[in-house]
Amino acid sequence: MENSLITSSDYEKLLEMALKLGEYRLNFRENTLRTLTELFDYQHVTFLNVDADDNFIHPIGINNTHSLCKLYDSFYRQCDIFCSSNILEVMQNNKLIGIEQIMTFQEYENTPYYNEFLKKGNLYYEVALPLRKGNTTIGAMGFFREKSKKNFTEKDYKILNYISDCVALNYSNAIEFSNIQNSMTNKAAINKKIPCLTERENQIVSLVNVGLSNKEISKELQISFHTVKAHMEQIFSKLNVNNRTSMLYQYHQL
């Protein structure tokens, strides 16, 4: 087994990951996968949502997992050895779940999940990371390696344990932010409009109200960052304010 000690370089990467994930409120899953690829040597990763029955659904992936994700919901989700019903008992005492915690590798090699699914992507080893908020499963991640590579080591498990905690916390925050944003934006669009502002300017103030930065607003409205800044300057001028806090105060007063 490889050296299980986490180095200072590993801790620096984990810290950088935590800081970046804390900034992701839009497109959280895609941004998280990109960050993990950039910082760590985990090249084949999936990120799944969960439905009301705790089934893992709608995965997105990078590299070899990307094409497999398209097949997962249509058929192979039903034979996933890491489906929630298979790992429910294991999840009680483990944040991370490897193949050998569910079955032997000999049994695994005879499953449709491996033979008909993962083998298509030249993938063999897998570690599943159910993402939990308290006793609620809010999603899951899967980390994969080719058969020619070594299995995940003790050191990998320690790093993935940190990753699991960090992703779960920030994913939960991103979900809550999205729910609040949708609720506030819908309410604002219906009920809150400042008469002296244009429709677009009211949209921008509503998005500022739910916490979006200028950069995030530009992505949300699919307009340039400079256009957002120009609208903000026009809003400040119309409301006779010089900062976002004063602008929001006027927004709620009016």
Side-chain angles (χ1 to χ4, degrees):
M1 183 172 289
E2 293 180 5
N3 190 338
S4 62
L5 293 177
I6 299 179
T7 65
S8 58
S9 176
D10 295 325
Y11 280 116
E12 287 175 4
K13 291 178 182 179
L14 289 167
L15 177 59
E16 183 176 351
M17 178 198 70
L19 293 173
K20 287 188 174 182
L21 264 57
E23 297 175 354
Y24 299 150
R25 288 176 288 186
L26 300 174
N27 303 315
F28 181 87
R29 295 196 298 160
E30 294 85 347
N31 286 326
T32 297
L33 291 179
R34 188 187 68 249
T35 298
L36 289 174
T37 302
E38 291 172 352
L39 293 177
F40 301 95
D41 191 25
Y42 300 126
Q43 296 299 315
H44 313 295
V45 190
T46 56
F47 199 139
L48 303 92
N49 282 329
V50 64
D51 65 14
D53 297 317
D54 285 344
N55 297 311
F56 299 129
I57 59 171
H58 303 156
I60 59 172
I62 51 176
N63 298 327
N64 289 20
T65 64
H66 178 70
S67 59
L68 295 179
C69 286
K70 298 177 182 179
L71 302 173
Y72 184 84
D73 277 332
S74 59
F75 179 76
Y76 291 103
R77 178 167 65 84
Q78 299 162 24
C79 63
D80 185 357
I81 66 170
F82 291 95
C83 69
S84 58
S85 58
N86 283 356
I87 63 175
L88 186 61
E89 186 175 341
V90 184
M91 273 199 301
Q92 304 305 316
N93 299 310
N94 298 274
K95 291 181 181 178
L96 316 179
I97 303 167
I99 294 165
E100 57 272 38
Q101 291 169 279
I102 303 174
M103 60 183 65
T104 66
F105 277 101
Q106 185 176 0
E107 292 170 328
Y108 165 68
E109 289 177 358
N110 291 321
T111 63
Y113 180 69
Y114 169 66
N115 273 303
E116 300 174 18
F117 183 54
L118 291 187
K119 209 171 184 180
K120 290 180 180 178
N122 193 33
L123 300 174
Y124 185 78
Y125 299 108
E126 179 178 0
V127 175
L129 280 65
L131 303 174
R132 308 270 288 176
K133 181 184 180 182
N135 294 322
T136 303
T137 302
I138 59 174
M141 298 190 74
F143 289 75
F144 302 83
R145 278 183 179 161
E146 299 96 332
K147 193 170 186 178
S148 59
K149 306 287 186 181
K150 292 181 180 180
N151 194 1
F152 293 91
T153 65
E154 182 182 349
K155 178 178 178 177
D156 287 315
Y157 270 75
K158 289 181 178 180
I159 291 175
L160 291 176
N161 187 69
Y162 283 107
I163 289 174
S164 174
D165 289 341
C166 183
V167 172
L169 172 63
N170 287 287
Y171 188 39
S172 173
N173 291 340
I175 292 172
E176 290 182 11
F177 176 83
S178 178
N179 291 338
I180 293 171
Q181 175 190 337
N182 291 336
S183 175
M184 292 294 289
T185 302
N186 289 339
K187 288 179 181 178
I190 296 170
N191 300 319
K192 275 196 173 290
K193 292 185 178 180
I194 301 177
C196 65
L197 301 184
T198 67
E199 187 68 27
R200 176 65 89 192
E201 288 166 353
N202 271 297
Q203 278 183 311
I204 290 173
V205 177
S206 296
L207 293 174
V208 173
N209 187 54
V210 295
L212 268 66
S213 66
N214 287 0
K215 185 177 181 181
E216 290 167 334
I217 291 171
S218 72
K219 290 182 180 179
E220 181 77 12
L221 299 180
Q222 297 184 338
I223 58 179
S224 74
F225 177 79
H226 295 293
T227 300
V228 175
K229 285 189 66 178
H231 279 304
M232 289 292 289
E233 290 172 2
Q234 187 67 17
I235 293 166
F236 285 1
S237 176
K238 287 183 178 181
L239 298 182
N240 194 28
V241 297
N242 56 17
N243 58 65
R244 295 161 76 97
T245 303
S246 298
M247 178 189 75
L248 292 179
Y249 176 79
Q250 292 280 57
Y251 174 69
H252 291 290
Q253 291 298 308
L254 293 172

